[in-house]
Amino acid sequence: MAAKENLTERKIVGWNFDNSYARLPELMFRQVAPAKVRQPAIAIFNIGLAQELGLDLDRLSDADLASVFAGQLIPEGGQPIAQAYAGHQYGGFTMLGDGRAILLGEQLTPTGQRYDIQFKGPGRTPFSRMGDGKAALGPMLREYIVSEAMHALGIPTTRSLAVVTTGEAVYREMTLPGAILTRVAKSHIRVGTFQYLAAQQDTENLTVLADYTIERHYSELVDAPNKYGSFFRAVVDRQAALIAKWQAVGFVHGVMNTDNMAISGETIDYGPCAFMDVYDPDTVFSSIDHGGRYAYGNQPSIAQWNLARFAETLLPLIDVDQHKAIEVATHDLNAFPQVFQRYWMAEMKAKIGLVDEEESDKELIAELLDWMHEAKSDFTNTFQELASDYLSDKGKFAAERFQHWYKKWQQRLEREGQPIDKAKRQMQSVNPFVIPRNHRVEEALDAASQRGDLSVMHKLLAALEKPFHRNDAYAEYQAPSGDTRHYRTFCGT
Ligand code: AMP
Ligand code: MG
């Protein structure tokens, strides 16, 4: 009887699952069940996102809500699986798979969108290797904060629907509170998903996966003449656009392994990511990135490297003649720097209020960045100051080098033939006031993990929600931490 009541209740809340990935060939996934947890409790829940997904979870009691997002109460239509994939991690190839994630299913929203609903940290799967399949509260809240901030910044990203604590401890270097994040994504198909099949030289299933991915994310190419070549070109394009957006806000992903690059073009797998304060292309936060492979300034070339690995998986589909396939793929891969440059210029031009394009704009932007580097100027706030024309630090801005640049910029703005006010408004609409500053994120995570105090995080999330609106109530979130050169982040285990 109780089970029946639950069933109706599960329906009422609006779950509308399909499981198209689970209909793919069996080698692509394993059926799994989330582990039982002791005492699930909601740490944070994203009401706005729930509504977008068509979920009316208000009707559930807190206990049921926690139970659902701890994977204890599987909604009707959910079919939990762990996805198989491989990946180049720091350049070395490994077979991986969802070792601490379980895909519940694909929610079909009222507006006809399809979103993966995935638990991160729900216990062991057949791909867990030596790991426990679990996650700690701090890293899951970090993903929640940063992914939601990225979304508010207008950057394609997976989203975060909920974090629950499990009431259990996870054992890392120290004992930490266990948690599960519910991640929402266009899909979890990665470069590594293709590599998993390519490593087995399974061209038949590669074709199935490519067709599935094209239909799901590049449906305009379903009937394209050179379908798989066009698919590759479109993926290159979306990645170039995505990385340009990262660069424009100073986002450092931190672990751009091929398994962490989503074919949909969304930012995925928030582990040791962080935002750059002082402009420096060598900025690295990840504690294990000793060589700076994933440094801020390397992100475009690493994306291209990952796309080369992706191209390799598609060669047998692009053309039966291997030489021809390589020729086609190489051509599109080599176009990445230009494609990226085009997107990056569009982002950077908007940041300094330009609409037209002049030959010398590239140089104008480069000179600004060079000056910022030399002057150790905060990336976000410099653009903000230029936009508001409030050049606060007289010392820094008084420097001859900056003044020289400033004059050139003013002249360039005049040549646009637009009122300066209009340029300023444009700048204000693309240059964020608030980004998730490292010390603010840490402060929120410490309060939550060490004292069970979530109020600090709620305030931070509120500040991050409208990053382009000046709100004096959140002025304190604009300040850089002072010295984050030694700030270190850790992989989100
Ligand atoms: P990530 O660093 O999150 O990109 O994960 C890389 C690989 O390690 C993936 O295959 C994960 O599923 C796996 N992994 C990470 N943490 C754990 C864990 N605690 N238990 C099992 N597998 C894990
Ligand atoms: Mg990963």
Side-chain angles (χ1 to χ4, degrees), residues 196-213:
Y196 166 75
L197 294 172
Q200 304 173 59
Q201 284 153 7
D202 188 343
T203 307
E204 197 181 318
N205 283 319
L206 265 169
T207 310
V208 173
L209 176 65
D211 287 340
Y212 174 83
T213 310

PDB file of all heavy atoms in Angstrom, residues 196-213:
ATOM      1  N   TYR A 196      36.610   4.966 -25.838  1.00  0.00           N
ATOM      2  CA  TYR A 196      36.348   3.644 -25.254  1.00  0.00           C
ATOM      3  C   TYR A 196      36.077   2.618 -26.363  1.00  0.00           C
ATOM      4  O   TYR A 196      36.581   1.495 -26.333  1.00  0.00           O
ATOM      5  CB  TYR A 196      35.159   3.766 -24.299  1.00  0.00           C
ATOM      6  CG  TYR A 196      34.530   2.476 -23.861  1.00  0.00           C
ATOM      7  CD1 TYR A 196      35.149   1.660 -22.918  1.00  0.00           C
ATOM      8  CD2 TYR A 196      33.288   2.077 -24.377  1.00  0.00           C
ATOM      9  CE1 TYR A 196      34.554   0.478 -22.500  1.00  0.00           C
ATOM     10  CE2 TYR A 196      32.692   0.898 -23.960  1.00  0.00           C
ATOM     11  CZ  TYR A 196      33.323   0.101 -23.027  1.00  0.00           C
ATOM     12  OH  TYR A 196      32.726  -1.066 -22.631  1.00  0.00           O
ATOM     13  N   LEU A 197      35.303   3.018 -27.373  1.00  0.00           N
ATOM     14  CA  LEU A 197      34.996   2.104 -28.476  1.00  0.00           C
ATOM     15  C   LEU A 197      36.145   2.028 -29.470  1.00  0.00           C
ATOM     16  O   LEU A 197      36.460   0.950 -29.989  1.00  0.00           O
ATOM     17  CB  LEU A 197      33.706   2.535 -29.176  1.00  0.00           C
ATOM     18  CG  LEU A 197      32.438   2.419 -28.330  1.00  0.00           C
ATOM     19  CD1 LEU A 197      31.254   3.055 -29.042  1.00  0.00           C
ATOM     20  CD2 LEU A 197      32.138   0.948 -27.997  1.00  0.00           C
ATOM     21  N   ALA A 198      36.787   3.163 -29.715  1.00  0.00           N
ATOM     22  CA  ALA A 198      37.898   3.180 -30.665  1.00  0.00           C
ATOM     23  C   ALA A 198      39.037   2.289 -30.166  1.00  0.00           C
ATOM     24  O   ALA A 198      39.686   1.600 -30.953  1.00  0.00           O
ATOM     25  CB  ALA A 198      38.391   4.615 -30.875  1.00  0.00           C
ATOM     26  N   ALA A 199      39.250   2.266 -28.855  1.00  0.00           N
ATOM     27  CA  ALA A 199      40.321   1.439 -28.281  1.00  0.00           C
ATOM     28  C   ALA A 199      40.065  -0.042 -28.556  1.00  0.00           C
ATOM     29  O   ALA A 199      40.985  -0.845 -28.592  1.00  0.00           O
ATOM     30  CB  ALA A 199      40.424   1.693 -26.782  1.00  0.00           C
ATOM     31  N   GLN A 200      38.781  -0.377 -28.752  1.00  0.00           N
ATOM     32  CA  GLN A 200      38.423  -1.777 -29.038  1.00  0.00           C
ATOM     33  C   GLN A 200      38.238  -2.005 -30.546  1.00  0.00           C
ATOM     34  O   GLN A 200      37.777  -3.051 -30.957  1.00  0.00           O
ATOM     35  CB  GLN A 200      37.139  -2.136 -28.290  1.00  0.00           C
ATOM     36  CG  GLN A 200      37.240  -1.893 -26.788  1.00  0.00           C
ATOM     37  CD  GLN A 200      35.906  -2.081 -26.060  1.00  0.00           C
ATOM     38  OE1 GLN A 200      35.306  -3.151 -26.103  1.00  0.00           O
ATOM     39  NE2 GLN A 200      35.431  -1.041 -25.399  1.00  0.00           N
ATOM     40  N   GLN A 201      38.577  -0.984 -31.318  1.00  0.00           N
ATOM     41  CA  GLN A 201      38.412  -1.010 -32.781  1.00  0.00           C
ATOM     42  C   GLN A 201      37.010  -1.463 -33.180  1.00  0.00           C
ATOM     43  O   GLN A 201      36.820  -2.228 -34.120  1.00  0.00           O
ATOM     44  CB  GLN A 201      39.482  -1.895 -33.415  1.00  0.00           C
ATOM     45  CG  GLN A 201      40.821  -1.187 -33.432  1.00  0.00           C
ATOM     46  CD  GLN A 201      41.997  -2.128 -33.423  1.00  0.00           C
ATOM     47  OE1 GLN A 201      41.847  -3.333 -33.529  1.00  0.00           O
ATOM     48  NE2 GLN A 201      43.174  -1.563 -33.293  1.00  0.00           N
ATOM     49  N   ASP A 202      36.052  -0.978 -32.424  1.00  0.00           N
ATOM     50  CA  ASP A 202      34.662  -1.385 -32.620  1.00  0.00           C
ATOM     51  C   ASP A 202      33.941  -0.353 -33.500  1.00  0.00           C
ATOM     52  O   ASP A 202      33.160   0.468 -33.022  1.00  0.00           O
ATOM     53  CB  ASP A 202      34.003  -1.508 -31.236  1.00  0.00           C
ATOM     54  CG  ASP A 202      32.608  -2.104 -31.310  1.00  0.00           C
ATOM     55  OD1 ASP A 202      32.023  -2.128 -32.413  1.00  0.00           O
ATOM     56  OD2 ASP A 202      32.106  -2.520 -30.252  1.00  0.00           O
ATOM     57  N   THR A 203      34.214  -0.420 -34.797  1.00  0.00           N
ATOM     58  CA  THR A 203      33.680   0.585 -35.714  1.00  0.00           C
ATOM     59  C   THR A 203      32.154   0.540 -35.789  1.00  0.00           C
ATOM     60  O   THR A 203      31.499   1.572 -35.930  1.00  0.00           O
ATOM     61  CB  THR A 203      34.279   0.386 -37.127  1.00  0.00           C
ATOM     62  OG1 THR A 203      35.694   0.365 -36.989  1.00  0.00           O
ATOM     63  CG2 THR A 203      33.901   1.511 -38.064  1.00  0.00           C
ATOM     64  N   GLU A 204      31.621  -0.665 -35.666  1.00  0.00           N
ATOM     65  CA  GLU A 204      30.169  -0.796 -35.747  1.00  0.00           C
ATOM     66  C   GLU A 204      29.490   0.006 -34.631  1.00  0.00           C
ATOM     67  O   GLU A 204      28.588   0.807 -34.879  1.00  0.00           O
ATOM     68  CB  GLU A 204      29.811  -2.282 -35.636  1.00  0.00           C
ATOM     69  CG  GLU A 204      28.413  -2.589 -36.094  1.00  0.00           C
ATOM     70  CD  GLU A 204      28.108  -4.074 -35.926  1.00  0.00           C
ATOM     71  OE1 GLU A 204      28.995  -4.917 -36.243  1.00  0.00           O
ATOM     72  OE2 GLU A 204      26.996  -4.384 -35.454  1.00  0.00           O
ATOM     73  N   ASN A 205      29.960  -0.186 -33.404  1.00  0.00           N
ATOM     74  CA  ASN A 205      29.340   0.539 -32.286  1.00  0.00           C
ATOM     75  C   ASN A 205      29.725   2.015 -32.265  1.00  0.00           C
ATOM     76  O   ASN A 205      28.961   2.846 -31.777  1.00  0.00           O
ATOM     77  CB  ASN A 205      29.669  -0.147 -30.963  1.00  0.00           C
ATOM     78  CG  ASN A 205      28.815  -1.390 -30.763  1.00  0.00           C
ATOM     79  OD1 ASN A 205      27.616  -1.364 -31.069  1.00  0.00           O
ATOM     80  ND2 ASN A 205      29.425  -2.467 -30.305  1.00  0.00           N
ATOM     81  N   LEU A 206      30.908   2.338 -32.813  1.00  0.00           N
ATOM     82  CA  LEU A 206      31.274   3.751 -32.948  1.00  0.00           C
ATOM     83  C   LEU A 206      30.259   4.471 -33.826  1.00  0.00           C
ATOM     84  O   LEU A 206      29.863   5.607 -33.548  1.00  0.00           O
ATOM     85  CB  LEU A 206      32.662   3.877 -33.583  1.00  0.00           C
ATOM     86  CG  LEU A 206      33.845   4.030 -32.627  1.00  0.00           C
ATOM     87  CD1 LEU A 206      35.157   3.873 -33.385  1.00  0.00           C
ATOM     88  CD2 LEU A 206      33.812   5.368 -31.896  1.00  0.00           C
ATOM     89  N   THR A 207      29.840   3.779 -34.885  1.00  0.00           N
ATOM     90  CA  THR A 207      28.846   4.367 -35.779  1.00  0.00           C
ATOM     91  C   THR A 207      27.532   4.572 -35.041  1.00  0.00           C
ATOM     92  O   THR A 207      26.892   5.629 -35.170  1.00  0.00           O
ATOM     93  CB  THR A 207      28.628   3.467 -37.022  1.00  0.00           C
ATOM     94  OG1 THR A 207      29.913   3.152 -37.556  1.00  0.00           O
ATOM     95  CG2 THR A 207      27.786   4.143 -38.070  1.00  0.00           C
ATOM     96  N   VAL A 208      27.162   3.586 -34.228  1.00  0.00           N
ATOM     97  CA  VAL A 208      25.919   3.701 -33.447  1.00  0.00           C
ATOM     98  C   VAL A 208      26.027   4.899 -32.499  1.00  0.00           C
ATOM     99  O   VAL A 208      25.114   5.731 -32.419  1.00  0.00           O
ATOM    100  CB  VAL A 208      25.658   2.401 -32.637  1.00  0.00           C
ATOM    101  CG1 VAL A 208      24.463   2.585 -31.692  1.00  0.00           C
ATOM    102  CG2 VAL A 208      25.425   1.232 -33.574  1.00  0.00           C
ATOM    103  N   LEU A 209      27.169   5.012 -31.805  1.00  0.00           N
ATOM    104  CA  LEU A 209      27.352   6.110 -30.847  1.00  0.00           C
ATOM    105  C   LEU A 209      27.366   7.464 -31.558  1.00  0.00           C
ATOM    106  O   LEU A 209      26.748   8.427 -31.088  1.00  0.00           O
ATOM    107  CB  LEU A 209      28.653   5.918 -30.055  1.00  0.00           C
ATOM    108  CG  LEU A 209      28.991   7.054 -29.082  1.00  0.00           C
ATOM    109  CD1 LEU A 209      27.961   7.150 -27.955  1.00  0.00           C
ATOM    110  CD2 LEU A 209      30.400   6.869 -28.507  1.00  0.00           C
ATOM    111  N   ALA A 210      28.059   7.521 -32.700  1.00  0.00           N
ATOM    112  CA  ALA A 210      28.129   8.786 -33.440  1.00  0.00           C
ATOM    113  C   ALA A 210      26.734   9.200 -33.907  1.00  0.00           C
ATOM    114  O   ALA A 210      26.327  10.355 -33.751  1.00  0.00           O
ATOM    115  CB  ALA A 210      29.074   8.657 -34.628  1.00  0.00           C
ATOM    116  N   ASP A 211      25.979   8.236 -34.433  1.00  0.00           N
ATOM    117  CA  ASP A 211      24.621   8.562 -34.902  1.00  0.00           C
ATOM    118  C   ASP A 211      23.744   9.039 -33.743  1.00  0.00           C
ATOM    119  O   ASP A 211      22.983   9.997 -33.874  1.00  0.00           O
ATOM    120  CB  ASP A 211      23.982   7.346 -35.585  1.00  0.00           C
ATOM    121  CG  ASP A 211      24.589   7.085 -36.962  1.00  0.00           C
ATOM    122  OD1 ASP A 211      25.192   8.027 -37.528  1.00  0.00           O
ATOM    123  OD2 ASP A 211      24.481   5.949 -37.455  1.00  0.00           O
ATOM    124  N   TYR A 212      23.882   8.340 -32.620  1.00  0.00           N
ATOM    125  CA  TYR A 212      23.106   8.709 -31.429  1.00  0.00           C
ATOM    126  C   TYR A 212      23.454  10.136 -30.989  1.00  0.00           C
ATOM    127  O   TYR A 212      22.581  10.953 -30.696  1.00  0.00           O
ATOM    128  CB  TYR A 212      23.416   7.707 -30.308  1.00  0.00           C
ATOM    129  CG  TYR A 212      22.793   8.052 -28.977  1.00  0.00           C
ATOM    130  CD1 TYR A 212      21.468   7.704 -28.700  1.00  0.00           C
ATOM    131  CD2 TYR A 212      23.519   8.710 -27.992  1.00  0.00           C
ATOM    132  CE1 TYR A 212      20.883   8.016 -27.473  1.00  0.00           C
ATOM    133  CE2 TYR A 212      22.953   9.026 -26.766  1.00  0.00           C
ATOM    134  CZ  TYR A 212      21.631   8.677 -26.507  1.00  0.00           C
ATOM    135  OH  TYR A 212      21.077   9.004 -25.301  1.00  0.00           O
ATOM    136  N   THR A 213      24.752  10.434 -30.971  1.00  0.00           N
ATOM    137  CA  THR A 213      25.208  11.747 -30.499  1.00  0.00           C
ATOM    138  C   THR A 213      24.782  12.850 -31.464  1.00  0.00           C
ATOM    139  O   THR A 213      24.370  13.937 -31.047  1.00  0.00           O
ATOM    140  CB  THR A 213      26.744  11.749 -30.334  1.00  0.00           C
ATOM    141  OG1 THR A 213      27.118  10.600 -29.576  1.00  0.00           O
ATOM    142  CG2 THR A 213      27.222  12.998 -29.624  1.00  0.00           C
TER     143      THR A 213
END
